[in-house]
Amino acid sequence: MSMHTIRALLFGGDLPPVGAKVFAYFQEHRLIIETMDMSIEVTDLIVSVGGFEHDEMFLNWLESSGEKWALKPYEARDIQMVIATAPLSLKHQLGKWHGRKQHIKMVWGTIAAILAFCVLSVLVLWWQYDRALTWVVEKIPVSTEEKMGNSILEQIRAEGGITETGVAVKAVQDIGAKLTKGSRYQYQWVIKTDKTLNAFALPGGIVVVHSALIEKARNADELAAVLAHEVQHIEQRHSLKNSVNSLGWAALLTVTLGDVSAVAALMAHQMGAMYFSRDLEDEADRLGFQALIRANIKPDGMVTFFQTMAKEEKGDAPAWISSHPATVERIKTIQGLIQKQPCPPCVSLSFDWPTIQAQMLELGSDKKSAS
Ligand SMILES: [Zn+2]
């Protein structure tokens, strides 16, 4: 074995697929494979790149019979030995091998970097989406938000069934005023003749209460609890955020540019069915509770009304959500708040509740006779 021996794996012929360990060296213009007693003309060799890391070298040749053979230097130092001891006629190819190796590495490196960047971007967007939305929504001026809300309200008015006078609306307005003292919004309160147990908040300070909600609420405290919750969807800009989110950012651009009517038409149909995340509902509950305490209104209505809602859900909902844990959990959370934060000055609201409910029943029969 000379000093210039290359340890290598030989592939081809009857050799096993994993190759055979051999010793090789260059002599003049020939590659000699000691162990196998083979000798190949260097000009017949083709150098190629291989391996997962693209740092392996193959010296390939064809026998006169057409059979393929390959010699793979065993380690980096064996590759170095090939480069150092190969005759001049092979140097050009070996130089190219080095270049090709670097090129392939670079291409794969670039692809890996691009993929990593894409994956990272998606993750960052996913994690940060809510933050980005909050940031954008915070930039919308209150005047634009109010314009949006008013346009939606116009659409809802145009659909009919809206009541803006009478004892019930007066009660809603009075309770609402207590709950929105010092707000940056000019609140508007309307009642919509609708037999679903619902109330919803429009961006910019508009609260729509369904007539069925007043029919089902057992007292003014329960109505106050619902209003306190809805007001927080406005104060915390949940309604605005949800509108932007559900209508898409293009709609936001339209709103920003000042043309809210097209967007409003779309939103009018969505607002009543708007869905808030559990987090936002919890926030509206907690802050709504605090608003009731600040207004010295007994917060127990929140618990009792949610219990009514839980019962309604059981009655109407299909079996798979009949045990709706969300409402049950919300009740527990509020009961916890009441225990933690007792409010001695808080009292029940004194409204002539039966008269208010009677107006709702009238609305119901008006609608029936009208249709
Ligand atoms: Zn809500």
Side-chain angles (χ1 to χ4, degrees):
M1 209 200 320
S2 83
M3 265 184 62
H4 294 159
T5 304
I6 300 152
R7 294 171 311 151
L9 286 172
L10 181 67
F11 303 92
D14 296 329
L15 296 174
V18 290
K21 281 183 186 170
V22 296
F23 294 105
Y25 59 92
F26 289 104
Q27 195 176 60
E28 309 272 316
H29 50 92
R30 300 190 77 83
L31 172 66
I32 312 293
I33 299 167
E34 259 184 4
T35 335
M36 307 294 287
D37 213 7
M38 288 169 88
S39 163
I40 306 107
E41 191 75 40
V42 165
T43 49
D44 289 342
L45 292 175
I46 295 161
V47 182
S48 68
V49 177
F52 185 67
E53 297 275 341
H54 307 289
D55 52 4
E56 290 173 356
M57 177 191 278
F58 288 88
L59 302 175
N60 311 274
W61 68 93
L62 287 175
E63 270 198 346
S64 48
S65 62
E67 205 170 10
K68 279 183 191 170
W69 287 82
L71 186 82
K72 175 181 171 286
Y74 202 64
E75 277 181 359
R77 65 189 173 102
D78 298 303
I79 292 175
Q80 287 313 311
M81 188 60 79
V82 170
I83 292 168
T85 61
L88 268 174
S89 53
L90 203 62
K91 293 278 190 210
H92 180 63
Q93 277 207 66
L94 289 171
K96 273 210 242 165
W97 172 82
H98 189 72
R100 178 103 187 106
K101 179 186 96 169
Q102 292 306 105
H103 180 71
I104 290 175
K105 267 196 161 175
M106 200 192 74
V107 167
W108 277 106
T110 309
I111 290 172
I114 290 171
L115 274 176
F117 179 76
C118 290
V119 169
L120 203 71
S121 306
V122 167
L123 286 178
V124 164
L125 269 178
W126 182 256
W127 281 326
Q128 298 291 311
Y129 178 77
D130 196 62
R131 207 172 285 179
L133 184 62
T134 305
W135 185 85
V136 167
V137 159
E138 271 164 14
K139 301 285 172 290
I140 299 175
V142 168
S143 60
T144 305
E145 196 184 351
E146 283 173 342
K147 225 164 119 187
M148 243 165 107
N150 280 319
S151 299
I152 302 168
L153 181 58
E154 259 171 55
Q155 293 285 332
I156 293 172
R157 277 194 188 114
E159 283 168 17
I162 292 294
T163 305
E164 291 176 82
T165 54
V167 284
V169 173
K170 183 78 174 57
V172 171
Q173 282 170 344
D174 287 354
I175 298 167
K178 286 176 196 280
L179 294 168
T180 57
K181 241 177 228 162
S183 169
R184 58 180 161 171
Y185 298 104
Q186 295 270 320
Y187 274 84
Q188 297 179 71
W189 315 85
V190 301
I191 293 172
K192 186 172 188 249
T193 308
D194 195 308
K195 34 182 211 305
T196 51
L197 192 50
N198 197 15
F200 57 94
L202 305 184
I206 297 158
V207 177
V208 181
V209 183
H210 282 186
S211 54
L213 190 139
I214 295 173
E215 280 174 43
K216 281 270 157 64
R218 275 175 295 179
N219 50 51
D221 292 356
E222 289 193 359
L223 173 62
V226 174
L227 296 182
H229 174 98
E230 292 305 324
V231 161
Q232 293 311 314
H233 282 319
I234 292 166
E235 294 292 324
Q236 306 306 317
R237 295 190 131 178
H238 297 166
S239 300
L240 180 64
K241 210 167 144 180
N242 240 15
S243 306
V244 172
N245 188 36
S246 63
L247 288 166
W249 297 70
L252 176 69
L253 187 69
T254 316
V255 170
T256 312
L257 293 174
D259 179 23
V260 289
S261 54
V263 174
L266 269 169
M267 276 198 270
H269 293 278
Q270 295 198 355
M271 294 312 288
M274 196 165 256
Y275 172 83
F276 290 113
S277 71
R278 262 308 290 283
D279 283 352
L280 295 188
E281 291 299 353
D282 283 344
E283 187 179 33
D285 284 348
R286 273 187 296 106
L287 297 175
F289 173 84
Q290 299 303 337
L292 287 171
I293 299 282
R294 273 199 308 277
N296 284 342
I297 298 169
K298 231 176 151 213
D300 302 61
M302 242 178 174
V303 171
T304 53
F305 188 75
F306 275 156
Q307 283 166 344
T308 304
M309 257 171 54
K311 264 185 226 144
E312 286 282 311
E313 281 166 2
K314 261 188 196 148
D316 288 343
W320 55 274
I321 52 161
S322 64
S323 55
H324 206 228
T327 311
V328 176
E329 265 174 54
R330 284 169 76 183
I331 292 170
K332 272 190 205 150
T333 306
I334 295 155
Q335 280 172 329
L337 286 173
I338 292 173
Q339 261 178 0
K340 246 192 275 171
Q341 212 177 323
C343 176
C346 287
V347 290
S348 283
L349 291 163
S350 54
F351 280 92
D352 183 359
W353 195 244
T355 309
I356 289 164
Q357 284 186 312
Q359 194 201 348
M360 292 303 99
L361 291 172
E362 259 171 58
L363 286 177
S365 54
D366 275 1
K367 182 136 198 212
K368 258 174 236 149
S369 59
S371 60

